[in-house]
Amino acid sequence: MQDAPPSPDAPVADAAGDNWVDRYAPAFARPYLRLSRADRPIGTWLLLLPCWWGLALAILYDQSPRWFDLWILIGTGIGAFLMRGAGCTWNDITDRDIDAQVARTRSRPIPSGQVTVEAAIAWMVIQALLAALILFTFNRAAIGLGFLSLLLVAVYPYAKRFTWWPQVFLGLAFNWGALLVWTAHAGVLNSPAILLYGAGIAWTLFYDTIYAHQDTEDDALIGVKSTARLFGDTSPQWLRRFLMATVGLMGLAVVFSAMPNATILALVIALAGPWAMGWHMAWQLRGLDINNPSKMLQLFRANRDTGMIPLFFFAAALLA
């Protein structure tokens, strides 16, 4: 006899015990919200924060804030939740056989039998269509960038099968919002946005290598590639390089954003953002223990605060 599928009340293994989905969501909705990682909001923050960086630096660049920027701020917040959910659903559809073999992921809704593949596809389409409604309120250039991002989202789940650097593909996808939101504000894509995009990719390599160290043993058994497996005991040295690349590229993005029109005071305040972000990343390195999965998950989750730090300085620079 086959075991009965887990009930809708069975939580995902790596979700926080007091998350709102397990506590408050209706029973019928919980498997779908877990499929979207709504019980683990860190991913939404990591997708959203580069969007807000891009908006802040775009305004610093042209010194032309407008009321529509408020909608960009709110719309990207909703859109990040929806597109992160759609992307995670797609990831779980493609990885369902792999997830069933990894201790941390076998409790996810598809491998645990709580949601069928067909239902997951329908849920993914619903989330993507709702996100598209937000995207269509932006200018044509931003809409075009939004559709281009779907290629990266589609490819990412397969990257771990053919490259030791799947975190690069995650970085390309997760930081695309910096380009899109800059364009939504400015109507064109300027060079500081590309530098900011590079900084976000380096940051993703930093935090997702930390995250991947939770699964290195299982990944080795089933042949899944990652930077954590590639770097092994040399991970701290690589993470320092990613830290320096993040701070350096973001610093250049700030300089080129401020140079045309911002004041010297605004430039100094904005530059304090990547500097302070770097110190927070250095704090993570001091607590690094690649053989302690719970510690690695704790450090990974700390990156919401890491990404918020420069945003506060960018916002202050806009008021200078």
Side-chain angles (χ1 to χ4, degrees), residues 228-247:
R229 286 191 61 207
L230 177 64
F231 302 153
D233 292 338
T234 66
S235 287
Q237 293 95 304
W238 281 96
L239 292 175
R240 288 188 191 96
R241 293 167 188 159
F242 299 146
L243 185 163
M244 290 186 290
T246 302
V247 173

Side-chain angles (χ1 to χ4, degrees), residues 274-292:
W275 175 81
M277 181 181 185
W279 277 108
H280 196 270
M281 294 169 75
W283 166 79
Q284 292 181 56
L285 284 177
R286 287 197 295 272
L288 198 70
D289 182 356
I290 62 174
N291 297 310
N292 184 341

Side-chain angles (χ1 to χ4, degrees), residues 12-315:
V12 175
D14 58 354
D18 59 349
N19 72 82
W20 72 272
V21 172
D22 293 343
R23 294 180 65 185
Y24 303 118
F28 74 89
R30 286 176 198 153
Y32 294 94
L33 292 171
R34 290 170 184 147
L35 198 60
S36 300
R37 310 286 199 276
D39 55 344
R40 284 156 287 169
I42 177 61
T44 299
W45 282 109
L46 297 176
L47 182 63
L48 174 60
L49 287 167
C51 298
W52 285 355
W53 297 346
L55 179 60
L57 290 189
I59 297 172
L60 187 68
Y61 181 78
D62 64 14
Q63 294 291 300
S64 297
R66 45 188 79 98
W67 282 110
F68 189 70
D69 293 332
L70 181 60
W71 165 242
I72 294 175
L73 186 78
I74 296 169
T76 51
I78 301 169
F81 177 83
L82 291 167
M83 281 309 297
R84 190 253 183 154
C88 288
T89 304
W90 171 242
N91 187 79
D92 282 10
I93 292 168
T94 59
D95 280 359
R96 59 190 183 276
D97 294 331
I98 292 174
D99 287 345
Q101 301 176 65
V102 177
R104 185 178 59 83
T105 58
R106 65 171 57 108
S107 59
R108 287 178 176 174
I110 296 177
S112 66
Q114 296 179 54
V115 176
T116 66
V117 173
E118 294 76 15
I121 292 172
W123 178 234
M124 175 184 69
V125 171
I126 290 169
Q127 294 172 96
L129 288 175
L130 290 172
L133 293 177
I134 297 171
L135 179 65
F136 288 147
T137 66
F138 297 160
N139 56 50
R140 289 184 180 180
I143 293 171
L145 285 171
F147 278 103
L148 279 176
S149 71
L150 295 179
L151 296 174
L152 296 169
V153 174
V155 170
Y156 166 66
Y158 297 101
K160 65 176 75 71
R161 296 162 170 85
F162 64 80
T163 178
W164 287 100
W165 294 81
Q167 281 70 25
V168 171
F169 287 84
L170 181 67
L172 290 168
F174 253 57
N175 295 280
W176 195 261
L179 305 178
L180 191 155
V181 173
W182 181 292
T183 305
H185 167 84
V188 294
L189 188 59
N190 302 108
S191 58
I194 298 171
L195 291 166
L196 186 65
Y197 183 50
I201 294 169
W203 179 44
T204 302
L205 280 162
F206 179 89
Y207 66 67
D208 206 58
T209 297
I210 291 174
Y211 184 80
H213 267 289
Q214 297 176 89
D215 301 323
T216 50
E217 291 184 6
D218 286 331
D219 287 349
L221 288 173
I222 60 181
V224 169
K225 298 177 173 68
S226 71
T227 50
R229 286 191 61 207
L230 177 64
F231 302 153
D233 292 338
T234 66
S235 287
Q237 293 95 304
W238 281 96
L239 292 175
R240 288 188 191 96
R241 293 167 188 159
F242 299 146
L243 185 163
M244 290 186 290
T246 302
V247 173
L249 288 168
M250 186 178 287
L252 287 173
V254 169
V255 169
F256 285 107
S257 296
M259 277 175 57
N261 299 298
T263 65
I264 295 297
L265 177 60
L267 171 61
V268 171
I269 293 172
L271 278 174
W275 175 81
M277 181 181 185
W279 277 108
H280 196 270
M281 294 169 75
W283 166 79
Q284 292 181 56
L285 284 177
R286 287 197 295 272
L288 198 70
D289 182 356
I290 62 174
N291 297 310
N292 184 341
S294 62
K295 181 63 174 180
M296 301 307 276
L297 180 59
Q298 178 189 3
L299 292 175
F300 166 73
R301 288 174 173 166
N303 279 276
R304 182 203 63 176
D305 297 340
T306 309
M308 288 290 291
I309 288 169
L311 185 63
F312 288 133
F313 286 95
F314 296 166

